[in-house]
Structure formats: C-alpha cells, structure tokens
C-alpha cells in the first residue's frame, strides 16, 4: 500500500484552506463555512495526494472525477481549485457568491473549471456519482474491454464528498442500492459524518446505522473517526489508508464514514448548527486564525511557500498525464477502429447513415409511439455504440430495450430474462426513477456517450429534481416517458398525467417532444441524438395511433407533410383544404388524429382548417420568426389546441380568440376510449371549439 | 401469545380470494393478478384474524389502519373488502377497472369504503404509513397520554402490505429511517418479497440485503420464508406468529419479510413477470382453479359457506367495537375537556377566537413573510392543539417551529437545541422532503389533526409525488415553502425557484398561496386552517417586505384594502387614483410592492393604475363571476402581471394586450437586489410594461 507523504507545509496549506473559507464567507456575509473549515484536510488530501488530475486541463479524459455532493460547502472545492492551480485565484475567492463571479454559492458545471457537476440540491451529487462510475465502466467497455483491471487509460476513480444531508435523501438510497448491485469498485465516497445539519445535532432526526445500511447495499464500508480518546485528531494518514484500501477493492463501491467536528478548530462555533450556513463573525474568524497560528489581522493571506507547494499539483498532474499519454498512445496504435470511435465521440459527431437507418412506418397501420420509439432505438443503436439506456423496471412497457445487447451488470446478476455483462448496453434501474435521472446525468457528465432512461410520464415527478438539474447544466440527458395521458386507461388517476406536460414544459431549457405518429417518433429520435444543448423528454403514447399517409415535403392540398419536419417543433401537417385557413388546430401526440378528423368534418361544413402538429413547443420557439409566421400566421386568430392534458401551455399560442380541447382535472380508471369520450377529447369537441374560436375571432 | 385459529373453511376462503382476483382481471382483460393470488393468505389473515376493524363503519376511530402500499394489487384489498362485508359485492369485483366502478385500477381514498389512502405510485403507501403511525401517537397524546401502552381507546396498529417496488423507492428509505428514529412500535409492514417485478426476476437490479437495511434503520425485522425444503408452503401460522411478535414490540416498527412466489399456485405463470401486470388468459385461470380444487367452468363463484364464514367479520367487528366503546365511554367520562376537543375535531370545527388571535403587523415595518408566518403559527397554535408541524431540517429558515412545544420524538433523541417527547408538536424530518410530504399526508388521513411540513420552495420538486397525491385525494395537507424566488439570493440557481410556482399551480386541486406582506400572511393562515377540501402550499419570502398601510375594508382612494381580503384569492389592494383603471397590475408576494411603486410612478404620468394583489389564483377562481369582474373588469384590457418567475400562469388573466414582468430563465448567485435589477424585476420594468399594455389595448 502506498504510504502518505505529509509534510508540515501540507498542514499549513490545510490551515490556509480553512482560513480562506472563513474569510470568503465573512467578506460576502453569508455562505457555508463550517464544513469547508473542518473538511479541508480531506479535500486537500484528495486534490493534492490522491487524485490523478491535471489542473491545466480540466477536460483530460484520464482524470479522476471529483464530485462535491455537499454542494453548499462549495468552498471545500473552490479553495482546492485555487490552491491546486485550476484557474481560480484569490480574487475569485474574494468574489464568492457575487454577481458574475466564478465562485457561485454552489458549484456550477460549465461555469467554473474543475467543477464536474452542479450540486447543491442534496443527494444529487452522490447519486450522479453512481452514473459517473457506470460511465467509466461502459466507456472502458467501448474502448478497452480486454485490458486488465487498472491497466487501461480508461481506468480511473470517482471520488465523492457527501454530507449528512446527502445520505438522508432518498435518491441516494436508490443510487446506493444500484451501486452495490453493480459492484462499482471505481466509486469512493467520503461521508463527512459531522452530525450537524441546519437543525443542529442530527440526533433529533437521524439515528440509523448508516454504515450498516451501506453494507446492506453491498458497499465496502470503513469508518475513520477523528474523535479519539486523546481528543479530536485529524489523522490524515488513517484517511489516506482507508482510501487506499477502497482503491484496492475493485468489486465494491466504498463508503468511508469520516467522523469529524464541523467547523473545527473554530473556538466557539465548532460542532454547532450556527457554523453550517452562516458567516462566523469577525471574532470567531480571528479565533480560528489564532487557533491555527495565523495572523488574525490578515485576510485572504496566503504564504508564498504554501502556494508554491500546492501549485506543484500542476507539474505533478502534467507528469502523471504524460505517463498516462504513453498508455493512451499505445492503446490508440493498437486499436485504430476504437480510436476512430473515440475521436468521433470526442468531437461530438454522429456517423453517416442515421437518416437512412430510421425506420419507416407504413401509413394506415396503427402503431403506438412507444412501439415506434422502440423500433427507432433499435434501428439507430447499431450505428451508435455510445447510445445506451433502459428503464426503471418498465422495459417492456417503455419499449426501451436495445435487443441482443446484453444488460449492464455483473454476470452473476443475469436472470432468465436478461443476460448481463459489465459492459452491457441495457440499463436496469429497478423501481428507482429518481436515481435513474441522477445516474443518467452522471453518465452524460462523465463522457460523450448518450444514455437514456425511461419510465411512465407520471413518474417524471419522482425524478424531477434530476431533470431540473440536467436542464440547469444544459446537458443532453434523454428521458423517455411513455403512457403519456389519461389514455393509459385502467390504471387510473394515480398513473394518468394531466398536468405533467405543463409542469415539464415549465422547466427552462428542457425540451419536451410528443410525436403524433410512428414516423414523427423516428424523426424525433434523430433530432434528439443531434441535440446536445440540453435534456430532452420524449413523451410517448401507450395506445396505438394511426400512421399518417404523408408526402415528401410540405403539406399541400390534401397531401400531408413529411415527418422530417418533426425537428422544427411544429409544422403544417395538413393544409386548410382551400389553402387559406379559417382556423388552425394545434395538437400533439395522440390528439393530432383528432385534429385531422375535425378538419374533415369542418370541410363538410365549408370551413377550412389547417392542422399543425406540434411535437415540441421548444423546438418550434427556436425557429426563426418567418418560419413561425408561416405555420401560425398572425392574421389567423381562430386557433384551437388539442391535447389530453392542461391547456395552460397553449395560451401563448392561441390568443384571446383561441380555444382549447383539454383536460383540467384528474383522470379516472376506465378504458381510454371511454375516458376520451367522458372527458371531451373528441372530434366533436374539436369541431365545436373551432366554431367557437372562429366566432370569437370575428367578434 | 395468541394462537391462530385456522380452519379448512379459511383455506377455502383464501382460495376463493385467489380465483376472484384471477376472474376479475380476466373479465376486464387487464390488471395485476399475480400478487393478489399469492398474497391472498396474508391479506385474509390480516382482515379476518388480525386487524380490529368494524366492516359496518369504516370511520370508526378505534380501527386498525390498513394500507396497501402495493396499490397495483388493488384486488388484494378489494377481495377482502368483499369477503369481510365492507360494502363491496361480486358485481363490484366484476366491474374492476371500469368507468364509475367502486373498484378502480388502484385503491382510491374517498371512493371505496375501507380504503384509507390512495396508493399506486410506489413507495407512497409505505411512507405515508409512517405518518399514520405518527398520528396515532400524537392523537393519543392529545386525548389519553397517561394511559399505559395498549390500554387506551386511542391505541391501535397500522398495517402495511408493501412490494419489491415500494422498498426500492427512495421515499421509503427516508420514511423508514424516520420510523426507526421515532421507535414506531405501532407500525407493522409486511414486505411481499416475491422477487418479481415488471422486468421479471429482481436480481437484475436488486441485490441489497433489505432486511439488514431495515435493521440499520432501527426496525425489528423478521423473515417468514414460505419456500421450504418441502417446497412452497403457505405457513399462515408462522406469519401470524411474526405479526404477534411485531405487536409485542412497542418500541420498534416491524418489517416482516414474507418470501412468496408471485401468482402461486397458477400452474405455468407463477414466479414470472407475466403474472405481475397482465391477465392470465383463460387456460391459466382454469389451471389455477383446478390447482385449488375449484370448478374451472365457473366464474365469480363463491360458495355459500365461504361468504357466510367471512362475513362473520361484521359481527366480530361490531363485538370488538362494543368492547372498545366501553373503554372509550369511560375515557370520555373521565376526560370531559379532552372529549370536548375530540368532538370539535371530529366535527371539523375550529374554536372561537382565531381571528382575534391573528398577529397584526404595523405598517411601515419590513418583515419577511416567512417571519410573519412563524408569528402567525405561534399565534394560533395555543388555540389549536391539533395544529402541529415542522421542517425538513430548515426550521430556522422556514420559521415553522411552534415555540416551547416540545419536539415529537422519543426523549432520548433530545439535543442541545430540541427537547423531545413522544407527544411533542414540533416535527423534525431531517433532510427528507419526500418522506415529509408522504408523512404529512398520512397524518391527515389518519385523523383530524392539522399538520404542516416545510422546506424551501425549490425542494417542493423533491416531494412532488406526495403533493400530487394529496391533491388527488383532496386532503388538507399543508406545505410551507419559503425562499420563494431568485430573491433568496446567493445560494444561486440550484436553490432559486423560477418555474416552480407554475409547476405547482398546474396540479389540479392544489391551492398555492403567496402573500404580499405580513398581514396577508396572517390572514392566509386563517384561511388555510379553515380550508379542508385539498392541500395548500404557502409560499413565503426570505427577504423582508414592507408591511402595507391598510384601511379597514375595500380599497378606496389612496386607502389600501384590508388584509382580510386575502381569502378571496385576489383583491384590489390599491385602487386606480381616479377610480377608473387605465391598467391593472396583478402581482403576488414580494412583487406586490413593485406594483404599488409603479402605480405611483404612473400617477405622475397621468396614468391610473389599479393594483390587484393575488395571493392565490385558485381561491380567486373559486369566487363568483361578479366578484371576479369587480376585481378584473373585462373592459380593462391593459393588464400587467408581476411575479419573479415564469409568466405562464398569468396568461389566462392577461389576454392579448397583457404584458408580464417575469423571469423566464434560471437564476444566478448574487444578492437579491442585484438579481432583481439584472433580471428586470423592477418598478421601471413594471411601468414600461404598463405603458406597452395600454398601447396594445388601444390598438
């Protein structure tokens, strides 16, 4: 086992980290100093002694990943990014939590170099870390599956710092259970068990044996207790040894329960809730500085020998990287095809032939969009080794299984239905939607593969915090949500989304796609894999829908538009019979057929209705004004939305004369035809709404 | 220990339950037969041999509670409700999952007698059961705290049937940890560990030692394995003994891991994913019937001796109830004051003096609405012993602590900050928002107390499935959500709600209340405790807000309206200076002050602006048309909404000429004044929007 080299200058650097954290919070007047002070030794150990990272290149694919799940303690990370030379300087620490600074309240992905993931909502980091660990293994499987463990340039570890809050959140229980099942030897989490949260001593609400719980998940659990008979001793070597032991265990994720005193050695506020989330006050900061032998009059003061020592991380990182590069180059030379794949993924490019591979569905057949999605997934999967995913125990219902691909799991987890291998492409999340969301995010953040995770649309509620975080980070997580309306039928209102599309469309930077038929579904998948600037939710029907007969291009006369228009978000599917619309229907998914039928009924009444299919409001709003005007001419005020859910998101498209065919209440348990009839999602309702809207537009 | 009396007729009744479940799913063609077949012995045991219930009165407060967390297996419950004489008959089982039937796909609270809670979204039942158990203890504390354990009419048990899905969901991990901390000896969960979920053998995604995990939470865990060396033997007596052992343990919640074979004894589909969620098919149903010695040609066929035997539950229940009534009457005679409280709660009434107790905040001061809420809670708490609640580790931030009330927890969980007793009023959920939501729901469902749970508004996302279920059930759970906009400031975008109000308002039957100042907050609390037809989310500011100078009644001239208008949802806070509005501002919460300022600026420009404070869109929409017209006259088309979040929910109130001052993107980390300025939540923006809207209304 490697021995730790720990000099007095390291101790001084750790103390420097503590006082910088205290100074930074004090300057802005708010923040979370406590953990940053007491966890400085652990963070320093990771950044300076444990992790293989090159501060000069935060994108180096060989780097160990670091996740601060306790995002409120952002200074724990910022101070190390400063000390280690990752790009942050003292002025950045001084600008903590202020407008435009590189040091926001919580670490933000894409904003500060060296931050691998946005954290802060508790549990998300630790849960996404499981996804990082999945991704490391899957990417290794893509590029270097034959290499012995620990010998591949694609081998590295994922380190996490987690807090009392993280381990209480349910999402980490879900993810922890999966991590054990997956035997993620590459995952090492340090749980800062300081037993203080905002309501002070956690005893009031936390009595479980967390170590035993993680052992029950199948984790290796070690406890490092810095509270000794001789008082509180920050035994860094003991922690280092535990990390080494964890690294040596390649078949279990590791939890190191590190028992600390929050805020130590702050003289009066250590070990209290006060130090968790508030500035210390000048006296206490001075007391802290005195306790570690620093000048209480100085602020943001870093000794030259300290920074010279810690910035040695740059040179060490570059040296480690040069060593790694040799292995990588040897791998590249020996694996030209895999290197080609690697280069394509790094460049963010797609191979030729996606369009040609898309399934084409014959008009006149009835196909649910979930089935069409399953066929689309399987059509493009052979071209895209980076494309993988699965379901939260609803594979058959979600139609998300890549056939004959093997399941991603240790072989011993194989069952009669699923054959597993460590590099399989089919993900099984169990009944754990929230962890699924966080894990998908982690996979996306780790590398350039394209994972997807599926459940029923209603259960997007269970994973919403992870979906929001994907949107906030602007990362291309893909969520497949089937059973997309009351039309799922007999399972009843607990399973029937009504408000769900609205609630999802409300999330900034999240794209929702609800295709109208099988061919729109295929083209939606193409657009989704081309889309890298944010998460997408693909919303699919349980029930069969007619496959529309379409032409090759735009709608014209009675020829329907080609499904290749899907990526525009909205397009004229069927033109008004005389070419000049009296009224425009806007519909999505299973309700587009109702618009098509209503167009025919209205034609019989001498009314010319245009049908606009709107698979994605977001994609449509991203089109230029001219295109939008061509689809929804301002002059046509009579408009009707048809969607089996709330009408709210249609209001901006409809205007005062617009009307909606919608459902404004919870569903019920019955077959879907009965529900659509009882809830007024019918051709008759669409015709009546059109008539009303035309009248309102004339008034 | 009581011995089980189990006759051949009981075994026949159990087999009857199995074939009824198979017949019912077969008739409608879809549903979940597997668990209902194999778990029939356990369910029958609970309903016929274990639980103290009176089928003729499903509201008897002395009843043991039953929660089918595995809601998809609704037949497990429906068949017992039929056999036991709770009101369901064969025709109801025949109508399974059809429009208007008493037997919807998942059990629905308020719809079918004997159903204590709507379940189906996995994990919710088991998590809410923890709330039921909290409530039993708290109610005992209200009415009969001195009674020895097991001797009070307020003593009973909460029984749960949970599935592989339930134990995987994170919400149950959170709730399970709390249940252990709370030492809930009144909670007994049977975990049907059949190791089959929709993706077949759970081995593919579940390898944890669940028994060890629950032991780590502090539960008593017993395992009853019906897979024996002699084959599969439904040893009902062993299960009964385990339940008796669980009942005898009064200081730990109990998990009984019952290892079953799903669908047993169906000949070919037992122990497969196929039997979980699909009809068996005629041959398999026939095979099942043959396996249990029933006539495969008969459907919904119940032998007279079986139903005569099982309906004996009515007489037994009434006898048990009569016995219980003696104890209750003795208690009532001995405790007249407590009986008065009991009667008031049962009647759903409030005491005199609430209005008088409300705090009055002086105009001109600056008070955050969260602080005003804390003062309101503490003002009404002395009048309302049924009013209790707390926070998910944010007590000080949420201002939800009932002072000097004692914390609800075993005394040994007391800390330096909190003194605990089993009947305390202050709830501590730890960092477990989702369990908090489910527990609050369980408390509300158990009895007539009025609990509240609090966190930051952004983390309503974590508890959304529970909030939705409260809305679906129409129960008066109260959620306090503070830090209600980007104005929470430095914590940054992970903590700043932008889309959150919209996403919550989208949930049918959920009321969102966002008061504009301290006095609106007090009146909001009054309205909330008077409100019993659905859940309420009270949305509060972190930052201080001016307390408006108000008159006694409606707005008039420059006199602002009284805060007692809050319950109307929207009201004219400040009339247009000349009495005839050129433009109407609609604002909520912290943005109402901006509307007030803009009104003054516009007055200087000769423009007359009315300010409408809209604490609750839902309450406003519940007012009659005349009132709504009086607040928002149709003739005034120039309207501007001001809310520091998405504008979407305002569109229906604004019309084509309306404009919005809003935030359509994620937030940032900085002080709130900077954020409001940078994001355009300003008086200037409000004035500009008003000018634009007036022009649009004229065009």
């Amino acid at each position: 086992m490697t021995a730790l080299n720990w000099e007095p200058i390291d101790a001084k650097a750790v103390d420097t980290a503590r006082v910088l954290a205290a100074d930074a919070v004090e300057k802005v007047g708010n923040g979370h100093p406590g953990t940053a002070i007491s966890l400085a030794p652990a963070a320093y150990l990771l950044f300076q002694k444990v992790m293989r990272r090159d501060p000069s290149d935060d994108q180096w694919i060989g780097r160990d990943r670091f996740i601060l799940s306790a995002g409120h303690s952002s200074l724990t990370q910022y101070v190390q990014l400063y000390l280690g030379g990752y790009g942050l300087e003292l002025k950045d620490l001084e600008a903590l939590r202020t407008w435009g600074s590189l040091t926001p309240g919580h670490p933000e992905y894409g904003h500060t170099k060296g931050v691998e993931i946005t954290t802060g909502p508790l549990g998300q980091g630790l849960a996404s870390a499981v996804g990082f660990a999945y991704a490391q293994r899957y990417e290794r499987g893509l590029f270097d599956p034959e290499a012995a463990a620990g010998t591949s340039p694609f081998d590295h570890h994922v380190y996490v710092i987690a807090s009392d809050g993280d381990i209480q959140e349910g999402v980490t229980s879900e993810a922890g259970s999966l991590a054990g099942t997956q035997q993620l030897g590459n995952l090492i989490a340090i749980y800062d068990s300081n037993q203080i949260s905002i309501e002070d001593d956690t005893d009031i609400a936390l009595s479980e044996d967390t170590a035993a719980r993680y052992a029950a998940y199948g984790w290796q659990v070690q406890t490092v207790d810095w509270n000794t008979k001789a008082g509180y001793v920050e035994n860094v070597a003991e922690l280092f040894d535990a990390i080494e032991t964890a690294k040596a265990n390649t078949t279990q994720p590791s939890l190191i329960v590190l028992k600390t005193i929050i805020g130590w050695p702050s003289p009066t506020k250590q070990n209290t809730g006060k130090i968790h989330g508030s500035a210390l006050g000048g006296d206490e900061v001075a007391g802290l500085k005195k306790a570690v032998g620093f000048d209480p009059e100085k602020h943001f003061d870093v000794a030259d020998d300290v920074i010279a020592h810690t910035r040695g991380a740059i040179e060490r990182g570059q040296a480690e990287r040069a060593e790694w590069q040799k292995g990588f180059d040897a791998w590249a030379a020996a694996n030209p095809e895999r290197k080609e794949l690697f280069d394509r993924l790094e460049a963010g490019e797609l191979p030729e032939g996606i369009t040609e591979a898309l399934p084409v569905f014959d008009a006149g057949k009835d196909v649910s969009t979930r089935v069409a999605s399953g066929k689309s997934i399987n059509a493009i999967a052979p071209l895209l080794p980076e494309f993988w995913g699965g379901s939260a125990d609803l594979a058959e219902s979600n139609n998300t299984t890549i056939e004959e691909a093997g399941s991603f799991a240790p072989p011993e987890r194989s069952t009669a239905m699923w054959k597993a291998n460590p590099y399989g492409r089919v993900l099984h999340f169990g009944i754990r939607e929230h962890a699924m969301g966080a894990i998908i995010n982690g996979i996306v953040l780790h590398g350039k593969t394209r994972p997807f995770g599926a459940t029923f649309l209603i259960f997007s509620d269970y994973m919403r915090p992870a979906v929001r975080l994907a949107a906030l980070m602007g990362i291309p997580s893909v969520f497949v949500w089937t059973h997309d309306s009351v039309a799922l039928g007999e399972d009843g209102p607990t399973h029937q989304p009504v408000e769900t599309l609205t609630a999802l469309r409300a999330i900034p930077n999240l794209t929702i796609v609800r295709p109208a038929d099988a061919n729109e579904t295929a083209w939606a998948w193409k657009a989704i894999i081309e889309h890298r600037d944010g998460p997408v939710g693909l919303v699919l029907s349980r029930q069969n829908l007619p496959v529309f007969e379409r032409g090759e291009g735009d709608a014209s006369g009675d020829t329907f538009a080609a499904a290749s228009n899907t990526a525009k978000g909205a397009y004229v599917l069927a033109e008004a019979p005389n070419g000049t619309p009296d009224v425009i229907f806007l519909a999505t998914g299973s309700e587009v057929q109702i618009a098509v039928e209503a167009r025919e009924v209205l034609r019989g009444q001498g009314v010319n209705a245009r049908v606009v299919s709107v698979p994605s409001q977001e994609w449509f709003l991203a089109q230029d004004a001219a295109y939008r005007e061509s689809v929804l001419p301002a002059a046509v005020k009579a408009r009707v939305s048809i969607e089996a859910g709330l009408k709210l998101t249609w209001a901006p498209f409809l205007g005062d004369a617009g009307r909606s065919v919608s459902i404004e209440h919870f569903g019920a348990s019955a077959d879907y035809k009965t529900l659509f009839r009882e809830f007024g999602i019918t051709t008759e309702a669409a015709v009546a709404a059109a008539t009303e809207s035309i009248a309102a537009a004339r008034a």
Side-chain angles (χ1 to χ4, degrees), chain A:
Chain A
M1 204 149 84
T2 314
L4 174 63
N5 176 27
W6 188 264
E7 307 289 338
I9 188 72
D10 292 311
K12 188 172 173 189
V14 166
D15 287 336
T16 301
R18 298 187 218 268
V19 299
L20 284 174
D23 277 343
V25 173
E26 206 60 24
K27 178 152 196 287
V28 67
N30 54 72
H32 297 79
T35 303
I37 291 169
S38 48
L39 218 60
Y44 181 87
L45 182 72
L46 286 176
F47 274 86
Q48 293 280 336
K49 308 287 183 181
V50 172
M51 292 196 293
R52 185 176 69 181
R53 290 178 75 100
D54 176 359
S56 53
D57 181 4
D58 69 333
Q59 298 301 310
W60 173 29
I61 64 130
R63 71 193 182 280
D64 286 332
R65 304 305 200 268
F66 175 76
I67 295 173
L68 182 72
S69 194
H72 55 274
S73 184
S74 54
L75 280 165
T76 295
Q77 186 163 8
Y78 294 150
V79 170
Q80 296 305 326
L81 295 179
Y82 156 66
L83 291 174
Y86 288 78
L88 289 186
E89 297 300 342
L90 280 180
K91 69 175 167 39
D92 299 307
L93 299 181
E94 293 182 40
L96 181 75
R97 295 165 70 91
T98 60
W99 179 257
S101 83
L102 288 173
T103 48
H106 294 80
E108 293 180 19
Y109 172 76
H111 183 80
T112 309
K113 277 193 184 177
V115 171
E116 307 270 6
I117 178 174
T118 299
T119 53
L122 287 168
Q124 297 296 328
L126 181 54
S128 285
V130 175
F132 276 75
Y134 275 39
Q136 184 274 322
R137 190 169 86 201
Y138 185 76
E139 292 169 28
R140 177 189 219 282
L142 281 185
F143 301 128
D144 203 13
E146 299 87 1
T151 66
S152 169
F154 300 96
D155 286 336
H156 60 258
H157 285 88
V158 179
Y159 293 93
V160 187
I161 287 180
S163 64
D164 283 307
D166 292 303
I167 59 96
Q168 291 179 61
E169 290 286 1
V171 64
T172 58
S173 180
E174 296 177 11
S177 186
L178 281 167
T181 300
Q182 290 289 348
Q183 302 176 5
L184 299 175
N186 54 351
L187 176 62
I188 300 174
I190 297 175
Y191 160 33
D192 176 35
S193 175
N194 61 42
Q195 286 200 275
I196 291 288
S197 57
I198 294 178
E199 294 189 10
D200 207 68
D201 188 337
T202 56
D203 264 2
I204 193 66
L206 180 67
S207 65
E208 64 172 44
D209 181 344
T210 305
R213 175 157 67 90
Y214 273 81
Y217 295 137
W219 289 49
Q220 175 194 51
V221 180
Q222 302 174 78
T223 298
V224 175
D225 192 345
W226 284 352
N227 302 283
T228 73
K229 284 176 189 163
Y232 189 70
V233 179
E234 290 175 330
N235 190 334
V236 179
E238 189 186 354
L239 177 59
F240 182 79
D241 288 349
I243 293 169
E244 288 292 310
T245 301
K247 284 166 72 173
N249 185 330
T250 59
T251 58
Q252 287 183 296
S254 281
L255 184 75
I256 299 171
V257 181
L258 177 63
K259 293 190 178 282
T260 63
I261 293 176
I262 191 171
W264 189 89
S266 299
T268 71
K269 292 191 175 173
Q270 61 171 272
N271 207 23
T272 70
K274 303 268 175 234
I275 207 164
H276 170 97
S278 309
L280 298 178
D283 288 351
E284 187 76 5
V285 173
L288 168 67
K289 288 179 182 171
K290 280 183 217 162
V292 297
F294 282 41
D295 183 346
E297 300 299 318
K298 291 188 177 169
H299 306 287
F300 296 101
D301 182 52
V302 177
D304 291 344
D305 60 342
V306 165
I307 193 70
H309 178 69
T310 60
R311 289 284 165 98
I314 299 173
E315 204 173 315
R316 286 198 308 279
Q318 287 169 346
E320 285 186 301
R321 181 178 179 149
E323 195 58 36
W324 173 90
Q325 190 69 41
K326 289 182 203 160
F328 181 83
D329 293 343
W331 165 82
N335 296 275
E337 272 187 42
R338 287 168 178 164
K339 178 62 163 53
E340 210 169 297
L341 172 61
F342 177 87
D343 289 340
R344 178 172 70 71
L345 296 194
E346 282 300 296
E349 287 167 2
L350 291 172
E352 300 290 310
I354 298 287
T355 305
E356 297 69 24
L358 291 181
V360 177
F361 297 90
D362 293 341
K365 296 216 169 143
D366 281 340
V367 183
S368 66
T369 51
R370 65 179 168 134
V371 164
S373 170
K375 290 189 194 300
S376 303
I377 286 170
N378 277 284
I380 58 180
L383 295 172
L384 300 173
E386 71 268 33
F387 185 61
W388 56 313
S391 167
D393 195 50
L394 292 167
E396 209 176 319
S397 298
N398 297 145
N399 298 83
T400 40
T401 302
I402 298 176
E403 306 292 344
E404 296 169 32
S407 293
F408 180 85
E412 59 265 42
R413 304 243 58 85
S414 296
T415 65
M417 187 176 283
W418 308 102
K419 194 162 166 47
N421 76 80
Y423 307 133
R425 292 177 78 171
V426 180
L427 287 162
H428 302 275
F429 296 98
I431 299 117
R432 305 182 185 95
E433 300 82 6
H434 199 173
M436 175 171 73
I439 287 170
I440 294 290
N441 289 348
I443 293 171
V444 170
L445 287 163
H446 183 276
K448 299 285 170 65
T449 68
R450 297 300 309 269
F452 56 90
T455 184
F456 289 163
L457 178 58
I458 193 75
F459 299 131
S460 65
D461 275 356
Y462 273 74
M463 52 194 296
R464 189 171 169 92
V467 174
R468 184 185 205 261
L469 213 50
L472 179 57
M473 292 188 282
I475 58 170
S477 302
V478 177
F479 306 114
V480 178
W481 290 315
T482 71
H483 295 58
D484 69 351
S485 77
V486 299
L488 65 84
E490 291 85 351
D491 274 343
T494 57
H495 284 52
Q496 292 169 348
V498 169
E499 78 288 12
T500 318
L501 281 170
T502 298
L504 290 168
R505 286 180 183 140
I507 298 177
N509 203 29
L510 171 65
T511 296
I512 295 298
V513 186
R514 187 173 187 243
D517 74 351
N519 288 311
E520 266 194 24
T521 308
W523 285 90
W525 266 112
K526 174 171 148 60
I528 288 166
I529 58 169
E530 288 169 355
H531 180 106
R532 286 183 171 270
D533 55 353
V536 177
L538 180 62
V539 173
L540 302 168
S541 76
R542 175 194 187 201
Q543 76 273 30
N544 283 338
L545 306 180
V547 178
F548 296 120
E549 173 89 47
R550 296 169 181 267
E552 297 291 315
D554 292 342
S556 159
D558 275 340
T559 303
F560 283 19
S564 54
N565 288 291
T566 302
K568 293 177 185 162
Y571 63 97
V572 180
L573 172 67
E575 190 43 284
N578 71 342
T580 309
D582 299 315
V583 60
I584 300 175
F585 286 113
L586 297 97
T588 78
S590 47
E591 288 72 71
V592 174
Q593 61 180 308
I594 293 175
V596 167
E597 289 162 5
R599 172 177 173 271
E600 284 306 313
V601 175
L602 287 166
R603 185 211 299 256
Q605 300 174 0
V607 175
N608 295 293
R610 168 185 283 188
V611 174
V612 174
S613 178
V614 193
S616 172
Q617 292 183 352
E618 295 81 11
W619 283 346
F620 180 58
L621 291 172
Q623 304 301 311
D624 63 33
Y627 177 75
R628 284 184 280 127
E629 169 67 18
S630 77
V631 176
L632 297 179
V636 185
K637 304 273 185 212
R639 300 174 181 192
V640 173
S641 71
I642 317 177
E643 190 169 72
L646 294 195
K647 64 187 173 190
L648 187 61
T649 60
W650 296 101
F653 297 95
L654 295 178
D656 287 351
R659 295 295 182 268
S660 292
V661 175
S662 70
I663 303 176
E664 305 295 323
H665 49 75
F666 290 117
S669 174
D671 69 284
Y672 87 87
K673 287 180 182 170
T674 298
L675 292 175
F676 267 23
R677 188 183 68 238
E678 295 288 336
F679 294 160
I681 307 297
T682 61
T683 305
E684 297 68 42
V687 168
T691 307
E692 222 184 288
S693 184
I694 290 168
R698 283 191 191 137

